[in-house]
Amino acid sequence: MKFTYQGLFTGAILIMLSVTGCKKDNKPGHISSSPIVVSSFTPASGGGGTEVLINGSNFTTDTSQLSVTLNGKKLKVIASNTGQMMVVISKNAGSGPILIKIGTGTATTTTDFTYQFTRRVSTLAGKGVAGYADGQGADAQFNLGGQSWYRSSGIVTDSKLNVYVADPGNHCIRKIDSLGNVSTFAGSPNSGYADGKGSAAKFSLPYGLAVDNDDNIYCVDPGNWDIRKITPDGNAVTIAWAKAEPWYVAVDKNTGYVYYSSNAASATIYQITPSATNEIVTGLVYPGGLVFDKLGNLYASTDQVIKKFTAGDWTASIIAGQQGQVGYIDTAGTAAKFANPFGLGVDASNNIYVGENGTWDGSVSNPDQSIRFIDAKTYQVSTFAGSATAGSANGVGKAASFSAPIGVTVDKNGTVYVLDKNNNLIRKIVSE
């Protein structure tokens, strides 16, 4: 006979709730004029599907009047009486206090439920060797690491869940639809410079990518020193010539302005407006990526730290990492360590994702081959997926492996995509 402890626990609690409810049939139920009290809950942590027993008083047996939520996500109520209830944690609910509402009365747990995500890594597209081929999933080929010095971190998603990848070895921009079908969006495997639509456009070394509110893609090309705008139908037009070799590009979706930077010992971030190109930040040490959050704050990876430049006046602060100190430590903010942080992504909650191992050759001996996560509220740094060991394994969390995962982006649903350079793959990370 097959059984689980979780099943035994659930069964026992349901019997207890039922019996307790019967004993209290002759006693008052929920009293709307009295406060709802939560005294404890167990377990204190778990993932989606975890069953949580909440203890307290002045609850209700009328589940039609009962609402239980976590971060606004409704939790399923299995059973309830005036002193206990059992609920099921929803997928992707996140951490925080559990809110109970009965009629117009509310109460919350005094401590947070800690949500434990399961982050599953799979391969979205690519055969695992450098080459050029359009096709579905593993039938497609990219040239992301055919030359060890390629350091394209260009990967973005649009509002329709398409993924765009800067493919430097094939001198073009690739598009991956939500089903994993890979096509050539702009450019061709022939290096050059030309504006135009689809294969009529030519690129030399497409590196950084960004996307605006209208799903226009922006590409910087250090081989041509230009910044290109590519419309959703694949028409590429040069919008500016760079003042320094452009490696990275970002769009502030609040203003529509485009920003770019070089990779140099003393690099500058430039802002492109309709009338001028302006310097907004100077003196960055070999920056590795740019990204804006939803509030218009700009972030850059530079000199083993992640820097924030506040919207409006571009005041600089270090939110994570130790300047000039290479390492791999998950902890709070400036006590954490990175090992050559490179591409950056941001999600709808302004959390930051960091692609590691931006060494010049994607060294497999770099002490970090993971995607790191920086909490927007606390700047706590954790490993999102991968580890210190280079590899090409799909799996959950740290059991998965990457080799120079230098580009990272997040779609509107929270799915993370990784440009896995040495493996010539595009990886997908789903959190539940």
Side-chain angles (χ1 to χ4, degrees):
M1 180 181 294
K2 184 178 180 181
F3 66 93
T4 64
Y5 289 111
Q6 182 68 26
L8 290 175
F9 175 74
T10 302
I13 294 300
L14 288 176
I15 292 170
M16 180 176 67
L17 286 169
S18 175
V19 171
T20 306
C22 290
K23 288 181 178 179
K24 295 187 177 181
D25 280 345
N26 297 321
K27 295 182 180 181
H30 172 70
I31 302 171
S32 59
S33 59
S34 298
I36 303 165
V37 176
V38 177
S39 57
S40 65
F41 65 93
T42 186
S45 63
T50 299
E51 295 159 350
V52 176
L53 177 65
I54 304 173
N55 299 296
S57 60
N58 202 24
F59 293 168
T60 182
T61 58
D62 184 0
T63 56
S64 67
Q65 297 296 310
L66 175 62
S67 171
V68 185
T69 57
L70 175 57
N71 293 319
K73 291 185 178 291
K74 192 170 183 179
L75 308 186
K76 180 181 179 181
V77 179
I78 297 177
S80 177
N81 60 40
T82 56
Q84 291 179 314
M85 68 179 70
M86 177 170 276
V87 300
V88 180
I89 300 298
S90 301
K91 288 184 178 181
N92 296 309
S95 300
I98 297 173
L99 172 65
I100 297 170
K101 184 176 181 181
I102 304 172
T104 59
T106 61
T108 61
T109 57
T110 56
T111 57
D112 289 353
F113 176 85
T114 301
Y115 190 93
Q116 296 174 335
F117 283 96
T118 297
R119 285 150 179 164
R120 192 171 301 279
V121 179
S122 61
T123 298
L124 177 66
K127 189 169 289 186
V129 293
Y132 175 76
D134 287 339
Q136 205 280 333
D139 293 330
Q141 285 184 281
F142 303 87
N143 191 348
L144 309 173
Q147 297 292 326
S148 62
W149 51 267
Y150 289 162
R151 277 193 285 172
S152 169
S153 60
I155 183 168
V156 294
T157 60
D158 67 13
S159 64
K160 299 177 179 63
L161 304 179
N162 298 303
V163 180
Y164 298 84
V165 181
D167 188 344
N170 289 317
H171 319 290
C172 61
I173 312 302
R174 313 291 289 280
K175 178 180 178 179
I176 312 172
D177 69 17
S178 58
L179 299 177
N181 298 302
V182 180
S183 59
T184 300
F185 178 61
S188 71
N190 300 307
S191 178
Y193 167 76
D195 285 344
K197 187 173 181 178
S199 60
K202 290 187 181 299
F203 300 86
S204 171
L205 197 65
Y207 261 21
L209 294 181
V211 62
D212 68 15
N213 286 319
D214 298 318
D215 288 340
N216 297 300
I217 304 297
Y218 296 83
C219 176
V220 288
D221 185 339
N224 287 321
W225 280 55
D226 68 315
I227 296 92
R228 222 90 67 95
K229 177 181 178 180
I230 312 171
T231 56
D233 63 354
N235 190 45
V237 177
T238 301
I239 62 170
W241 295 102
K243 294 187 175 183
E245 188 176 77
W247 281 41
Y248 322 106
V249 63
V251 176
D252 181 354
K253 292 185 177 181
N254 295 289
T255 64
Y257 291 158
V258 178
Y259 298 72
Y260 71 91
S261 176
S262 65
N263 179 270
S266 182
T268 298
I269 300 176
Y270 298 91
Q271 176 198 63
I272 302 173
T273 72
S275 58
T277 297
N278 307 308
E279 296 183 1
I280 63 161
V281 174
T282 60
L284 294 181
V285 178
Y286 293 109
L290 302 176
V291 74
F292 278 93
D293 68 16
K294 304 302 181 282
L295 303 175
N297 301 303
L298 176 61
Y299 300 82
S301 54
T302 173
D303 198 20
Q304 313 305 334
V305 300
I306 309 303
K307 278 193 173 182
K308 175 182 177 180
F309 303 95
T310 303
D313 60 8
W314 309 118
T315 299
S317 60
I318 295 173
I319 65 166
Q322 300 179 37
Q323 201 152 359
Q325 299 296 309
V326 177
Y328 181 11
I329 298 175
D330 286 336
T331 188
T334 53
K337 283 189 177 181
F338 297 92
N340 301 293
F342 212 66
L344 300 177
V346 65
D347 65 19
S349 299
N350 296 322
N351 301 304
I352 304 294
Y353 300 74
V354 185
E356 287 281 21
N357 190 12
T359 54
W360 76 270
D361 60 350
S363 172
V364 295
S365 63
N366 189 69
D368 190 357
Q369 307 281 348
S370 74
I371 301 299
R372 309 287 286 282
F373 176 87
I374 306 174
D375 185 273
K377 297 177 182 178
T378 64
Y379 298 144
Q380 179 79 21
V381 178
S382 59
T383 297
F384 192 77
S387 66
T389 303
S392 183
N394 291 324
V396 175
K398 293 183 179 181
S401 59
F402 306 90
S403 185
I406 58 176
V408 60
T409 190
V410 190
D411 72 17
K412 64 182 181 181
N413 295 330
T415 300
V416 175
Y417 300 89
V418 178
L419 187 158
D420 191 351
K421 172 189 156 178
N422 291 341
N423 289 319
N424 294 287
L425 296 174
I426 304 304
R427 314 287 290 281
K428 178 180 180 178
I429 311 173
V430 176
S431 298
E432 289 184 342

